[in-house]
Amino acid sequence: MDVNAPNECQEVTDGQITRLLSTDDPRSRAHELLAVISAAGVTDEHIAALEELPDAKEHLAVALALRSVSLRSLTHDGKLVMVERAQVDGCERIATRMLELDPPDELRTFALDLQREVASSREWTWEPRGMPVLVLLIVLCALLVLFGGGLASITMVAVGSAGGAALLYALVIRQRKQRWSQLADEAAPLLSRVGR
């Protein structure tokens, strides 16, 4: 789960991990663990190193949950939303990783809810704006093909077929979006914080 952070963040994280591995104080360990895993630039390798610490899995699950909160964008009314592909992909990796840690029930529920939110964000939807015009043009191209066939005009059939195919392609490409992309367009003016 590399968050594509600059190298200096990873160097600091490596230093924190080294200190964390050398400390015997469990309270300090939990605090450091949350700081390390919540920081940008934490990779699967860092998580694997941290998993070796005693009693670290629950703390890791909490820290991953916190990371999912900071990764998502926030609307003015306090709702967490995913409005970028990187947010959807990152939250999917976080939810999967949390479930692999076999956390307590409350954290498992959080991870399952996050997985459902990711699945919902990836659903395909149709953008209704502009669709009636494209559908009308496709119908006109189909009529052109029918009239061209009735008149035995290869040119009319070819023009109608090519135009209809191009318009159908445009309809699917332009009007079909994943829910996160549609939400990005709708929620852009409502965001108080963009997740990172």
Side-chain angles (χ1 to χ4, degrees):
M1 181 183 63
D2 193 347
V3 190
N4 299 324
N7 288 337
E8 63 247 17
C9 279
Q10 290 182 353
E11 288 171 13
V12 169
T13 303
D14 288 339
Q16 287 175 321
I17 289 173
T18 304
R19 283 195 313 275
L20 185 59
L21 292 171
S22 64
T23 184
D24 289 330
D25 182 4
R27 289 170 300 173
S28 173
R29 185 175 292 159
H31 176 73
E32 282 281 328
L33 183 59
L34 287 170
V36 169
I37 198 68
S38 297
V42 175
T43 63
D44 281 332
E45 293 78 28
H46 292 144
I47 293 173
L50 293 169
E51 276 182 324
E52 301 304 317
L53 296 172
D55 304 321
K57 289 188 176 186
E58 185 174 344
H59 295 299
L60 277 170
V62 168
L64 286 168
L66 291 173
R67 179 68 187 123
S68 79
V69 170
S70 67
L71 185 61
R72 289 177 277 177
S73 297
L74 186 68
T75 63
H76 290 297
D77 61 355
K79 183 178 179 189
L80 291 169
V81 292
M82 291 182 244
V83 294
E84 296 176 359
R85 182 181 305 275
Q87 292 173 337
V88 177
D89 294 343
C91 284
E92 180 179 43
R93 287 190 301 271
I94 286 171
T96 301
R97 200 69 164 118
M98 284 179 71
L99 291 172
E100 287 172 357
L101 292 170
D102 194 26
D105 290 342
E106 190 174 318
L107 290 168
R108 173 175 288 285
T109 301
F110 180 92
L112 292 172
D113 288 345
L114 187 59
Q115 273 188 334
R116 280 191 284 279
E117 187 180 344
V118 166
S120 174
S121 294
R122 290 219 165 121
E123 288 176 359
W124 290 96
T125 61
W126 288 95
E127 174 68 45
R129 194 174 14 154
M131 190 181 293
V133 174
L134 284 172
V135 170
L136 177 62
L137 291 173
I138 291 170
V139 169
L140 290 176
C141 286
L143 289 174
L144 187 62
V145 169
L146 289 174
F147 285 128
L151 297 174
S153 170
I154 294 175
T155 306
M156 283 179 73
V157 170
V159 168
S161 298
L167 287 168
L168 186 59
Y169 177 80
L171 174 73
V172 172
I173 295 300
R174 185 172 180 268
Q175 304 299 123
R176 190 172 180 240
K177 293 182 173 185
Q178 285 187 319
R179 193 175 304 275
W180 68 263
S181 177
Q182 189 175 16
L183 182 61
D185 295 339
E186 295 168 1
L190 306 174
L191 296 180
S192 63
R193 172 182 61 84
V194 177
R196 294 284 172 231

